[in-house]
Amino acid sequence: MTTSAARRTRNRLVSGAVVLTLAAINVTDHLLQPPWWVRALEGAGLLAWARLDGLSWSQLGLGRDRLASGVRWALGAIGVVAGVYVVGVLLPLTRPAFQDVRYDLPLPEALRTAFVVIPLGTVALEELAFRSVLWGVLARHLRPWQVLVTTSGLFGLWHIIPALHVGGTNRGVSDAVGGAGSAAVVAGTVALTAVGGLVFGELRRRSGSVLASIGAHWATNALGVLFGLVAWRLDTNA
């Protein structure tokens, strides 16, 4: 076996190991429900693994030279998501989609969720996992479009387990599909999050920085909590 062939084989094996590790993290986290800081440490552990395996900060989307670009794209994405959410909450037809009972919270708890739990316990882990570490290892043996499609598809599959409970917590989803845990909810969630993965991945690719996808991901999740709070209050005061 030539040196280049051996390198390709090794890179494929490392990519497979990362995917298996992510699957184990996903199942374990949903079974044990660890606190947000444990999930943040999982993301840091994945990043340390990638660095020990030889990936540079630039390959991981964390290079200093792309920092400013990542911030610009992140701010733009946050603005777009905020604009869409404003319209969604104000329209009675789409407002129920924001009314997830998990986030019908007092304001201090909603702020803690949006600015601590989600960015450190969800966004950091998932972006380091998919748009940083997995992206970096796959890029060593796949073409850019293949990296984008693969990470996005796996990101969709990552959401199968939480999709089993979405219909039970979100009034809009429950009304649309008729209950929690249905095949329609799971398939729809996987498809939607895979599309989200494509958007996040393209932001990462265009900016050269995982900060861009982090900003978009945070806005999608955390602003959903804050605008959900508004949606609940609008119905309460109606």
Side-chain angles (χ1 to χ4, degrees):
M1 182 181 292
T2 65
T3 302
S4 60
R7 186 182 300 112
R8 284 195 298 271
T9 298
R10 181 191 179 282
N11 289 338
R12 292 190 181 102
L13 289 174
V14 171
S15 295
V18 171
V19 171
L20 290 175
T21 300
L22 293 182
I25 289 173
N26 192 13
V27 173
T28 302
D29 282 358
H30 283 96
L31 287 175
L32 301 181
Q33 297 292 315
W36 62 266
W37 57 267
V38 171
R39 290 172 59 82
L41 289 175
E42 290 168 348
L46 289 169
L47 190 60
W49 178 14
R51 288 287 291 156
L52 289 172
D53 196 55
L55 287 171
S56 68
W57 290 118
S58 293
Q59 288 174 306
L60 292 167
L62 293 167
R64 290 184 180 180
D65 59 323
R66 305 304 298 173
L67 178 63
S69 175
V71 170
R72 287 195 299 270
W73 281 92
L75 292 175
I78 292 169
V80 170
V81 172
V84 171
Y85 281 7
V86 167
V87 174
V89 166
L90 292 178
L91 291 176
L93 181 65
T94 53
R95 188 179 302 154
F98 292 86
Q99 294 173 325
D100 192 314
V101 296
R102 293 172 299 174
Y103 304 130
D104 185 14
L105 303 168
L107 180 58
E109 187 61 26
L111 292 174
R112 176 178 176 274
T113 300
F115 292 102
V116 177
V117 177
I118 286 177
L120 297 179
T122 298
V123 175
L125 169 60
E126 294 182 356
E127 289 306 311
L128 289 176
F130 290 95
R131 258 71 63 180
S132 182
V133 175
L134 183 59
W135 189 288
V137 297
L138 290 175
R140 295 193 293 197
H141 61 92
L142 295 179
R143 296 176 179 176
W145 71 265
Q146 293 173 318
V147 175
L148 176 62
V149 171
T150 303
T151 54
S152 301
L154 291 172
F155 186 62
L157 295 176
W158 173 271
H159 290 83
I160 288 177
I161 297 177
L164 297 173
H165 309 288
V166 169
T169 60
N170 189 294
R171 193 183 81 185
V173 172
S174 182
D175 290 346
V177 301
S182 74
V185 172
V186 174
T189 300
V190 169
L192 188 62
T193 50
V195 171
L198 286 172
V199 174
F200 299 158
E202 185 62 10
L203 286 169
R204 190 258 199 249
R205 187 190 70 82
R206 286 180 177 272
S207 67
S209 173
V210 75
L211 292 182
S213 57
I214 285 175
H217 197 163
W218 173 82
T220 302
N221 289 23
L223 293 185
V225 173
L226 299 179
F227 279 93
L229 194 66
V230 175
W232 284 110
R233 300 301 184 268
L234 286 174
D235 269 8
T236 300
N237 296 329

